[in-house]
Amino acid sequence: MSDSTKINFIDDLHLKSNTPNYLASTLEKQAAAGAKPPVHLTQRLVHLQSCTALLQQALKPLLPAEILKDCQVAQADRYRLTVSLSSTTAANHLRYLSASCLEKLRSYDKKFCHLEEFGVIVTPRTTQSDSRQLSSKKTLSENTKRIITQTATTVITHDGLRQALLRLAKED
């Protein structure tokens, strides 16, 4: 029986107690339910990680350590290698050195000896602190608070709106 026809049983009790939010992908929902990812995806991930390790070793003499740490192989086959970086500046630097990188990779390992193309893409990575900053409550400047207070007391005639604006100006 091939891997694509195997059935991964889902533990309903686990799913009912640990449900991911509605924005989760199907794969994340299945993982939360206890299902394992397909074997071919796991093998592909291992292949890309091994290519990344080889790439970082091969390009150590050519690239600064900061760029090497950020390099991830996004796609690899016999004739083409695509590297992902989070910085546009680093990606442009790597594109500038792509011919040298291609030659270095070809001579470094037999896995890369047939490479014809070396691509670079930019994939910005968001960190947890970035997402927390976006959702954090912003404070009003003193000038904005003063303008809201003056508008509420002199212009607004609706009592509910006036009270809401005054509360807004007083919140820190």
Side-chain angles (χ1 to χ4, degrees):
M1 185 184 280
S2 72
D3 291 329
S4 62
T5 59
K6 284 185 181 176
I7 297 173
N8 293 331
F9 292 100
I10 297 174
D11 182 10
D12 290 335
L13 182 62
H14 180 49
L15 181 61
K16 289 175 185 169
S17 60
N18 296 318
T19 55
N21 70 23
Y22 69 97
L23 295 173
S25 69
T26 304
L27 203 57
E28 291 170 325
K29 289 176 184 176
Q30 290 174 346
K36 293 187 170 107
V39 174
H40 71 280
L41 289 179
T42 306
Q43 290 172 344
R44 179 165 165 73
L45 180 63
V46 169
H47 172 68
L48 291 177
Q49 288 172 341
S50 70
C51 286
T52 298
L54 282 173
L55 173 102
Q56 289 174 342
Q57 287 297 320
L59 300 183
K60 218 177 233 185
L62 291 175
L63 298 172
E66 300 83 33
I67 294 177
L68 279 174
K69 283 191 303 184
D70 193 29
C71 282
Q72 296 286 322
V73 175
Q75 190 270 336
D77 60 29
R78 187 176 174 109
Y79 302 105
R80 184 178 184 159
L81 185 77
T82 304
V83 177
S84 165
L85 291 162
S86 63
S87 164
T88 306
T89 305
N92 286 335
H93 183 72
L94 191 58
R95 284 184 190 111
Y96 179 74
L97 296 173
S98 64
S100 302
C101 292
L102 192 57
E103 289 302 316
K104 191 74 168 168
L105 286 168
R106 285 180 189 154
S107 64
Y108 185 76
D109 192 85
K110 67 179 182 175
K111 187 182 243 183
F112 300 129
C113 68
H114 297 289
L115 280 181
E116 295 175 3
E117 293 181 43
F118 183 80
V120 181
I121 60 173
V122 179
T123 53
R125 290 166 178 63
T126 58
T127 61
Q128 229 178 10
S129 62
D130 291 342
S131 62
R132 272 193 238 133
Q133 284 178 347
L134 291 175
S135 65
S136 67
K137 191 175 183 180
K138 306 243 184 212
T139 57
L140 299 174
S141 68
E142 291 302 317
N143 188 36
T144 304
K145 288 179 183 180
R146 184 176 46 77
I147 291 170
I148 291 172
T149 304
Q150 286 176 351
T151 303
T153 55
T154 59
V155 177
I156 306 298
T157 57
H158 187 270
D159 192 46
L161 180 58
R162 182 184 311 115
Q163 296 303 322
L165 286 172
L166 291 173
R167 279 194 309 268
L168 176 65
K170 288 182 182 175
E171 286 182 7
D172 287 341

Short mmCIF file of all heavy atoms in Angstrom, two decimals, residues 29-93:
data_model
loop_
_atom_site.label_atom_id
_atom_site.label_comp_id
_atom_site.label_asym_id
_atom_site.label_seq_id
_atom_site.Cartn_x
_atom_site.Cartn_y
_atom_site.Cartn_z
N LYS A 29 -4.66 21.73 11.28
CA LYS A 29 -5.80 21.12 11.96
C LYS A 29 -5.60 19.62 12.10
O LYS A 29 -5.89 19.04 13.15
CB LYS A 29 -7.09 21.40 11.19
CG LYS A 29 -7.53 22.84 11.28
CD LYS A 29 -8.76 23.10 10.43
CE LYS A 29 -9.12 24.57 10.45
NZ LYS A 29 -10.25 24.88 9.58
N GLN A 30 -5.06 19.00 11.07
CA GLN A 30 -4.79 17.57 11.15
C GLN A 30 -3.70 17.27 12.17
O GLN A 30 -3.77 16.29 12.89
CB GLN A 30 -4.40 17.02 9.78
CG GLN A 30 -5.55 16.98 8.80
CD GLN A 30 -5.11 16.59 7.41
OE1 GLN A 30 -3.92 16.58 7.09
NE2 GLN A 30 -6.08 16.27 6.56
N ALA A 31 -2.68 18.13 12.23
CA ALA A 31 -1.61 17.93 13.20
C ALA A 31 -2.14 18.09 14.62
O ALA A 31 -1.76 17.35 15.53
CB ALA A 31 -0.47 18.92 12.95
N ALA A 32 -3.04 19.05 14.83
CA ALA A 32 -3.64 19.23 16.15
C ALA A 32 -4.48 18.02 16.53
O ALA A 32 -4.63 17.71 17.70
CB ALA A 32 -4.49 20.50 16.17
N ALA A 33 -5.01 17.33 15.53
CA ALA A 33 -5.83 16.16 15.79
C ALA A 33 -4.98 14.91 15.95
O ALA A 33 -5.50 13.85 16.24
CB ALA A 33 -6.82 15.96 14.65
N GLY A 34 -3.69 15.02 15.77
CA GLY A 34 -2.81 13.88 15.97
C GLY A 34 -2.38 13.19 14.69
O GLY A 34 -1.66 12.21 14.73
N ALA A 35 -2.81 13.67 13.54
CA ALA A 35 -2.41 13.06 12.27
C ALA A 35 -0.98 13.48 11.94
O ALA A 35 -0.55 14.58 12.26
CB ALA A 35 -3.36 13.48 11.16
N LYS A 36 -0.25 12.60 11.30
CA LYS A 36 1.12 12.89 10.91
C LYS A 36 1.14 13.38 9.47
O LYS A 36 0.32 12.98 8.66
CB LYS A 36 1.96 11.63 11.04
CG LYS A 36 2.11 11.19 12.48
CD LYS A 36 3.07 10.06 12.57
CE LYS A 36 3.39 9.81 14.02
NZ LYS A 36 2.85 8.68 14.59
N PRO A 37 2.10 14.27 9.13
CA PRO A 37 2.19 14.72 7.74
C PRO A 37 2.58 13.56 6.83
O PRO A 37 3.20 12.60 7.28
CB PRO A 37 3.27 15.80 7.78
CG PRO A 37 4.00 15.60 9.04
CD PRO A 37 3.09 14.89 9.98
N PRO A 38 2.24 13.65 5.56
CA PRO A 38 2.61 12.58 4.63
C PRO A 38 4.12 12.38 4.59
O PRO A 38 4.89 13.32 4.76
CB PRO A 38 2.09 13.09 3.28
CG PRO A 38 1.08 14.12 3.61
CD PRO A 38 1.47 14.70 4.93
N VAL A 39 4.52 11.15 4.35
CA VAL A 39 5.94 10.79 4.36
C VAL A 39 6.72 11.57 3.31
O VAL A 39 7.85 12.01 3.57
CB VAL A 39 6.10 9.27 4.14
CG1 VAL A 39 7.55 8.88 3.99
CG2 VAL A 39 5.46 8.52 5.29
N HIS A 40 6.12 11.80 2.13
CA HIS A 40 6.86 12.51 1.08
C HIS A 40 7.17 13.95 1.49
O HIS A 40 8.20 14.49 1.11
CB HIS A 40 6.11 12.45 -0.26
CG HIS A 40 4.87 13.27 -0.31
ND1 HIS A 40 3.67 12.86 0.21
CD2 HIS A 40 4.65 14.51 -0.83
CE1 HIS A 40 2.75 13.78 0.01
NE2 HIS A 40 3.31 14.80 -0.62
N LEU A 41 6.32 14.59 2.29
CA LEU A 41 6.61 15.94 2.77
C LEU A 41 7.75 15.92 3.79
O LEU A 41 8.62 16.80 3.79
CB LEU A 41 5.37 16.58 3.38
CG LEU A 41 4.26 16.97 2.41
CD1 LEU A 41 3.09 17.59 3.18
CD2 LEU A 41 4.77 17.93 1.36
N THR A 42 7.75 14.93 4.65
CA THR A 42 8.81 14.80 5.64
C THR A 42 10.14 14.55 4.95
O THR A 42 11.16 15.15 5.32
CB THR A 42 8.48 13.67 6.62
OG1 THR A 42 7.18 13.89 7.16
CG2 THR A 42 9.49 13.60 7.75
N GLN A 43 10.14 13.68 3.95
CA GLN A 43 11.37 13.39 3.21
C GLN A 43 11.86 14.63 2.47
O GLN A 43 13.06 14.90 2.42
CB GLN A 43 11.13 12.25 2.22
CG GLN A 43 10.95 10.92 2.88
CD GLN A 43 10.52 9.84 1.91
OE1 GLN A 43 10.08 10.13 0.80
NE2 GLN A 43 10.64 8.59 2.34
N ARG A 44 10.94 15.41 1.92
CA ARG A 44 11.33 16.63 1.21
C ARG A 44 11.96 17.64 2.17
O ARG A 44 12.95 18.29 1.84
CB ARG A 44 10.10 17.23 0.52
CG ARG A 44 10.40 18.51 -0.22
CD ARG A 44 9.27 18.88 -1.17
NE ARG A 44 9.34 20.22 -1.64
CZ ARG A 44 10.22 20.68 -2.53
NH1 ARG A 44 11.11 19.87 -3.03
NH2 ARG A 44 10.21 21.93 -2.91
N LEU A 45 11.39 17.75 3.36
CA LEU A 45 11.94 18.67 4.35
C LEU A 45 13.35 18.25 4.76
O LEU A 45 14.24 19.09 4.85
CB LEU A 45 11.02 18.73 5.57
CG LEU A 45 11.47 19.64 6.70
CD1 LEU A 45 11.52 21.08 6.25
CD2 LEU A 45 10.55 19.49 7.90
N VAL A 46 13.56 16.96 4.97
CA VAL A 46 14.89 16.45 5.33
C VAL A 46 15.87 16.73 4.19
O VAL A 46 17.01 17.15 4.43
CB VAL A 46 14.82 14.95 5.66
CG1 VAL A 46 16.20 14.34 5.77
CG2 VAL A 46 14.03 14.74 6.95
N HIS A 47 15.43 16.54 2.94
CA HIS A 47 16.29 16.81 1.78
C HIS A 47 16.68 18.29 1.72
O HIS A 47 17.85 18.62 1.51
CB HIS A 47 15.56 16.39 0.50
CG HIS A 47 16.26 16.78 -0.76
ND1 HIS A 47 17.45 16.24 -1.15
CD2 HIS A 47 15.93 17.70 -1.71
CE1 HIS A 47 17.83 16.79 -2.30
NE2 HIS A 47 16.92 17.68 -2.66
N LEU A 48 15.72 19.18 1.93
CA LEU A 48 16.01 20.61 1.88
C LEU A 48 16.93 21.03 3.02
O LEU A 48 17.81 21.88 2.85
CB LEU A 48 14.71 21.42 1.92
CG LEU A 48 13.82 21.32 0.67
CD1 LEU A 48 12.54 22.11 0.86
CD2 LEU A 48 14.57 21.79 -0.57
N GLN A 49 16.75 20.43 4.19
CA GLN A 49 17.62 20.76 5.33
C GLN A 49 19.05 20.29 5.07
O GLN A 49 20.01 20.99 5.41
CB GLN A 49 17.07 20.14 6.61
CG GLN A 49 15.84 20.83 7.11
CD GLN A 49 15.17 20.11 8.28
OE1 GLN A 49 15.39 18.93 8.51
NE2 GLN A 49 14.33 20.84 9.01
N SER A 50 19.21 19.11 4.47
CA SER A 50 20.56 18.63 4.17
C SER A 50 21.21 19.50 3.09
O SER A 50 22.41 19.80 3.17
CB SER A 50 20.55 17.16 3.74
OG SER A 50 19.95 17.01 2.49
N CYS A 51 20.43 19.94 2.10
CA CYS A 51 20.96 20.85 1.08
C CYS A 51 21.37 22.18 1.69
O CYS A 51 22.38 22.77 1.30
CB CYS A 51 19.93 21.07 -0.02
SG CYS A 51 19.73 19.68 -1.14
N THR A 52 20.58 22.66 2.66
CA THR A 52 20.91 23.92 3.33
C THR A 52 22.23 23.79 4.07
O THR A 52 23.08 24.70 4.00
CB THR A 52 19.78 24.32 4.30
OG1 THR A 52 18.58 24.52 3.55
CG2 THR A 52 20.12 25.60 5.06
N ALA A 53 22.43 22.69 4.77
CA ALA A 53 23.68 22.49 5.51
C ALA A 53 24.87 22.43 4.55
O ALA A 53 25.92 23.05 4.82
CB ALA A 53 23.60 21.21 6.34
N LEU A 54 24.73 21.72 3.44
CA LEU A 54 25.81 21.66 2.45
C LEU A 54 26.09 23.03 1.84
O LEU A 54 27.24 23.42 1.66
CB LEU A 54 25.45 20.68 1.34
CG LEU A 54 25.61 19.20 1.65
CD1 LEU A 54 25.05 18.35 0.52
CD2 LEU A 54 27.07 18.87 1.88
N LEU A 55 25.03 23.76 1.53
CA LEU A 55 25.17 25.09 0.95
C LEU A 55 25.93 26.01 1.91
O LEU A 55 26.84 26.73 1.49
CB LEU A 55 23.79 25.67 0.64
CG LEU A 55 23.77 27.13 0.18
CD1 LEU A 55 23.60 27.19 -1.31
CD2 LEU A 55 22.69 27.89 0.87
N GLN A 56 25.57 25.99 3.18
CA GLN A 56 26.22 26.87 4.15
C GLN A 56 27.69 26.51 4.31
O GLN A 56 28.53 27.40 4.46
CB GLN A 56 25.48 26.80 5.48
CG GLN A 56 24.13 27.47 5.43
CD GLN A 56 23.31 27.30 6.69
OE1 GLN A 56 23.57 26.43 7.51
NE2 GLN A 56 22.28 28.13 6.84
N GLN A 57 28.03 25.22 4.27
CA GLN A 57 29.43 24.82 4.35
C GLN A 57 30.21 25.24 3.10
O GLN A 57 31.32 25.73 3.19
CB GLN A 57 29.54 23.30 4.55
CG GLN A 57 29.14 22.83 5.92
CD GLN A 57 30.05 23.40 6.99
OE1 GLN A 57 31.26 23.49 6.82
NE2 GLN A 57 29.46 23.81 8.09
N ALA A 58 29.59 25.05 1.94
CA ALA A 58 30.28 25.36 0.68
C ALA A 58 30.53 26.85 0.50
O ALA A 58 31.56 27.26 -0.03
CB ALA A 58 29.48 24.82 -0.49
N LEU A 59 29.57 27.67 0.94
CA LEU A 59 29.68 29.11 0.69
C LEU A 59 30.31 29.88 1.85
O LEU A 59 30.34 31.11 1.82
CB LEU A 59 28.30 29.68 0.37
CG LEU A 59 27.60 29.09 -0.87
CD1 LEU A 59 26.28 29.79 -1.11
CD2 LEU A 59 28.50 29.17 -2.09
N LYS A 60 30.82 29.18 2.83
CA LYS A 60 31.45 29.84 3.98
C LYS A 60 32.57 30.80 3.57
O LYS A 60 32.65 31.91 4.11
CB LYS A 60 32.00 28.78 4.94
CG LYS A 60 31.83 29.13 6.38
CD LYS A 60 32.33 28.00 7.25
CE LYS A 60 31.23 27.62 8.21
NZ LYS A 60 31.63 26.64 9.18
N PRO A 61 33.43 30.44 2.61
CA PRO A 61 34.49 31.39 2.22
C PRO A 61 33.98 32.61 1.44
O PRO A 61 34.65 33.63 1.40
CB PRO A 61 35.42 30.57 1.33
CG PRO A 61 34.99 29.16 1.43
CD PRO A 61 33.61 29.14 1.98
N LEU A 62 32.81 32.50 0.83
CA LEU A 62 32.32 33.58 -0.03
C LEU A 62 31.42 34.59 0.68
O LEU A 62 31.38 35.76 0.30
CB LEU A 62 31.52 33.00 -1.21
CG LEU A 62 32.29 32.23 -2.26
CD1 LEU A 62 31.34 31.64 -3.28
CD2 LEU A 62 33.29 33.14 -2.94
N LEU A 63 30.66 34.15 1.67
CA LEU A 63 29.62 35.00 2.26
C LEU A 63 29.87 35.29 3.73
O LEU A 63 30.43 34.46 4.45
CB LEU A 63 28.25 34.32 2.11
CG LEU A 63 27.76 34.07 0.69
CD1 LEU A 63 26.50 33.22 0.72
CD2 LEU A 63 27.50 35.37 -0.02
N PRO A 64 29.40 36.45 4.20
CA PRO A 64 29.49 36.76 5.63
C PRO A 64 28.61 35.80 6.46
O PRO A 64 27.63 35.25 5.95
CB PRO A 64 28.97 38.19 5.74
CG PRO A 64 28.86 38.71 4.36
CD PRO A 64 28.86 37.56 3.43
N ALA A 65 28.95 35.63 7.71
CA ALA A 65 28.23 34.70 8.59
C ALA A 65 26.76 35.08 8.74
O ALA A 65 25.90 34.20 8.84
CB ALA A 65 28.91 34.66 9.95
N GLU A 66 26.43 36.39 8.75
CA GLU A 66 25.04 36.82 8.92
C GLU A 66 24.17 36.34 7.76
O GLU A 66 23.04 35.92 7.95
CB GLU A 66 24.93 38.35 9.02
CG GLU A 66 25.70 38.98 10.16
CD GLU A 66 27.15 39.21 9.83
OE1 GLU A 66 27.50 39.49 8.67
OE2 GLU A 66 27.98 39.06 10.75
N ILE A 67 24.72 36.42 6.55
CA ILE A 67 23.96 35.98 5.39
C ILE A 67 23.85 34.46 5.38
O ILE A 67 22.79 33.90 5.09
CB ILE A 67 24.60 36.50 4.08
CG1 ILE A 67 24.48 38.02 4.02
CG2 ILE A 67 23.94 35.87 2.86
CD1 ILE A 67 25.13 38.65 2.81
N LEU A 68 24.93 33.77 5.73
CA LEU A 68 24.91 32.31 5.76
C LEU A 68 23.88 31.77 6.74
O LEU A 68 23.21 30.78 6.46
CB LEU A 68 26.29 31.76 6.11
CG LEU A 68 27.29 31.69 4.97
CD1 LEU A 68 28.65 31.27 5.47
CD2 LEU A 68 26.81 30.76 3.88
N LYS A 69 23.75 32.41 7.90
CA LYS A 69 22.77 31.94 8.90
C LYS A 69 21.36 32.07 8.37
O LYS A 69 20.49 31.27 8.71
CB LYS A 69 22.88 32.75 10.20
CG LYS A 69 24.05 32.37 11.06
CD LYS A 69 23.97 33.00 12.44
CE LYS A 69 23.87 34.49 12.35
NZ LYS A 69 23.88 35.17 13.65
N ASP A 70 21.12 33.05 7.52
CA ASP A 70 19.78 33.32 7.00
C ASP A 70 19.44 32.49 5.77
O ASP A 70 18.28 32.37 5.41
CB ASP A 70 19.68 34.82 6.68
CG ASP A 70 18.27 35.28 6.45
OD1 ASP A 70 17.34 34.68 7.02
OD2 ASP A 70 18.09 36.23 5.67
N CYS A 71 20.43 31.90 5.12
CA CYS A 71 20.21 31.13 3.90
C CYS A 71 19.43 29.85 4.19
O CYS A 71 19.80 29.08 5.07
CB CYS A 71 21.54 30.73 3.26
SG CYS A 71 22.33 32.04 2.34
N GLN A 72 18.37 29.64 3.43
CA GLN A 72 17.58 28.40 3.49
C GLN A 72 17.34 27.95 2.05
O GLN A 72 16.94 28.75 1.22
CB GLN A 72 16.22 28.65 4.16
CG GLN A 72 16.29 29.05 5.60
CD GLN A 72 16.67 27.88 6.49
OE1 GLN A 72 16.24 26.77 6.26
NE2 GLN A 72 17.48 28.14 7.49
N VAL A 73 17.55 26.66 1.78
CA VAL A 73 17.24 26.14 0.46
C VAL A 73 15.74 25.97 0.37
O VAL A 73 15.13 25.26 1.16
CB VAL A 73 17.97 24.82 0.19
CG1 VAL A 73 17.55 24.23 -1.14
CG2 VAL A 73 19.48 25.04 0.21
N ALA A 74 15.11 26.67 -0.57
CA ALA A 74 13.67 26.62 -0.73
C ALA A 74 13.25 25.58 -1.76
O ALA A 74 12.17 25.00 -1.66
CB ALA A 74 13.14 27.98 -1.16
N GLN A 75 14.10 25.33 -2.74
CA GLN A 75 13.81 24.36 -3.79
C GLN A 75 15.12 23.81 -4.30
O GLN A 75 16.08 24.56 -4.50
CB GLN A 75 13.02 25.04 -4.92
CG GLN A 75 12.44 24.12 -5.96
CD GLN A 75 13.37 23.86 -7.13
OE1 GLN A 75 14.26 24.65 -7.42
NE2 GLN A 75 13.18 22.75 -7.79
N ALA A 76 15.17 22.50 -4.46
CA ALA A 76 16.41 21.88 -4.95
C ALA A 76 16.06 20.68 -5.81
O ALA A 76 15.28 19.82 -5.40
CB ALA A 76 17.29 21.46 -3.78
N ASP A 77 16.62 20.67 -6.99
CA ASP A 77 16.56 19.47 -7.82
C ASP A 77 17.92 19.32 -8.49
O ASP A 77 18.87 20.02 -8.14
CB ASP A 77 15.39 19.50 -8.81
CG ASP A 77 15.43 20.65 -9.79
OD1 ASP A 77 16.54 21.13 -10.11
OD2 ASP A 77 14.37 21.08 -10.24
N ARG A 78 18.00 18.44 -9.44
CA ARG A 78 19.29 18.11 -10.04
C ARG A 78 19.94 19.32 -10.73
O ARG A 78 21.16 19.49 -10.68
CB ARG A 78 19.10 16.97 -11.01
CG ARG A 78 20.36 16.43 -11.59
CD ARG A 78 20.06 15.23 -12.47
NE ARG A 78 21.25 14.79 -13.14
CZ ARG A 78 21.89 13.67 -12.87
NH1 ARG A 78 21.43 12.88 -11.93
NH2 ARG A 78 22.97 13.35 -13.53
N TYR A 79 19.14 20.16 -11.38
CA TYR A 79 19.69 21.24 -12.19
C TYR A 79 19.45 22.64 -11.64
O TYR A 79 20.00 23.60 -12.17
CB TYR A 79 19.09 21.18 -13.61
CG TYR A 79 19.36 19.87 -14.29
CD1 TYR A 79 18.36 18.92 -14.44
CD2 TYR A 79 20.63 19.58 -14.76
CE1 TYR A 79 18.62 17.71 -15.05
CE2 TYR A 79 20.90 18.36 -15.37
CZ TYR A 79 19.90 17.43 -15.52
OH TYR A 79 20.16 16.23 -16.11
N ARG A 80 18.66 22.76 -10.60
CA ARG A 80 18.32 24.10 -10.11
C ARG A 80 18.29 24.12 -8.58
O ARG A 80 17.81 23.20 -7.94
CB ARG A 80 16.95 24.50 -10.63
CG ARG A 80 16.58 25.88 -10.23
CD ARG A 80 15.26 26.27 -10.80
NE ARG A 80 15.04 27.66 -10.43
CZ ARG A 80 14.23 28.45 -11.03
NH1 ARG A 80 13.53 28.04 -12.05
NH2 ARG A 80 14.07 29.69 -10.63
N LEU A 81 18.79 25.22 -8.02
CA LEU A 81 18.79 25.42 -6.58
C LEU A 81 18.26 26.83 -6.31
O LEU A 81 18.74 27.79 -6.92
CB LEU A 81 20.21 25.28 -6.03
CG LEU A 81 20.36 25.34 -4.52
CD1 LEU A 81 19.91 24.01 -3.92
CD2 LEU A 81 21.80 25.58 -4.14
N THR A 82 17.27 26.93 -5.44
CA THR A 82 16.72 28.23 -5.08
C THR A 82 16.93 28.45 -3.60
O THR A 82 16.56 27.61 -2.78
CB THR A 82 15.22 28.31 -5.41
OG1 THR A 82 15.04 28.02 -6.80
CG2 THR A 82 14.67 29.69 -5.12
N VAL A 83 17.54 29.59 -3.27
CA VAL A 83 17.86 29.93 -1.89
C VAL A 83 16.94 31.05 -1.43
O VAL A 83 16.69 32.00 -2.17
CB VAL A 83 19.34 30.36 -1.76
CG1 VAL A 83 19.67 30.78 -0.35
CG2 VAL A 83 20.26 29.25 -2.22
N SER A 84 16.46 30.93 -0.21
CA SER A 84 15.57 31.92 0.38
C SER A 84 16.32 32.73 1.44
O SER A 84 17.02 32.15 2.27
CB SER A 84 14.37 31.20 1.01
OG SER A 84 13.68 32.05 1.85
N LEU A 85 16.13 34.04 1.40
CA LEU A 85 16.71 34.94 2.40
C LEU A 85 15.62 35.89 2.88
O LEU A 85 14.68 36.18 2.15
CB LEU A 85 17.86 35.76 1.80
CG LEU A 85 19.12 34.99 1.45
CD1 LEU A 85 19.98 35.76 0.48
CD2 LEU A 85 19.90 34.68 2.71
N SER A 86 15.75 36.38 4.10
CA SER A 86 14.72 37.27 4.63
C SER A 86 15.01 38.74 4.34
O SER A 86 14.13 39.58 4.47
CB SER A 86 14.55 37.06 6.13
OG SER A 86 15.75 37.39 6.80
N SER A 87 16.21 39.06 3.94
CA SER A 87 16.60 40.44 3.68
C SER A 87 16.81 40.69 2.19
O SER A 87 17.49 39.91 1.51
CB SER A 87 17.90 40.75 4.43
OG SER A 87 18.51 41.91 3.93
N THR A 88 16.24 41.77 1.69
CA THR A 88 16.42 42.13 0.29
C THR A 88 17.88 42.47 0.01
O THR A 88 18.42 42.10 -1.04
CB THR A 88 15.53 43.34 -0.06
OG1 THR A 88 14.19 43.02 0.30
CG2 THR A 88 15.59 43.66 -1.53
N THR A 89 18.53 43.13 0.94
CA THR A 89 19.93 43.50 0.75
C THR A 89 20.80 42.25 0.66
O THR A 89 21.66 42.15 -0.23
CB THR A 89 20.40 44.38 1.93
OG1 THR A 89 19.53 45.49 2.06
CG2 THR A 89 21.82 44.86 1.73
N ALA A 90 20.57 41.29 1.54
CA ALA A 90 21.33 40.04 1.50
C ALA A 90 21.05 39.27 0.21
O ALA A 90 21.96 38.69 -0.38
CB ALA A 90 20.99 39.19 2.72
N ALA A 91 19.80 39.29 -0.23
CA ALA A 91 19.45 38.59 -1.46
C ALA A 91 20.15 39.22 -2.66
O ALA A 91 20.65 38.51 -3.54
CB ALA A 91 17.93 38.62 -1.66
N ASN A 92 20.20 40.55 -2.71
CA ASN A 92 20.90 41.23 -3.80
C ASN A 92 22.39 40.92 -3.78
O ASN A 92 23.02 40.74 -4.82
CB ASN A 92 20.67 42.74 -3.74
CG ASN A 92 19.27 43.11 -4.19
OD1 ASN A 92 18.64 42.38 -4.94
ND2 ASN A 92 18.79 44.23 -3.70
N HIS A 93 22.97 40.85 -2.59
CA HIS A 93 24.38 40.51 -2.44
C HIS A 93 24.63 39.09 -2.98
O HIS A 93 25.60 38.86 -3.71
CB HIS A 93 24.80 40.62 -0.97
CG HIS A 93 26.24 40.35 -0.74
ND1 HIS A 93 27.23 41.23 -1.12
CD2 HIS A 93 26.87 39.29 -0.17
CE1 HIS A 93 28.41 40.73 -0.79
NE2 HIS A 93 28.22 39.56 -0.21
#
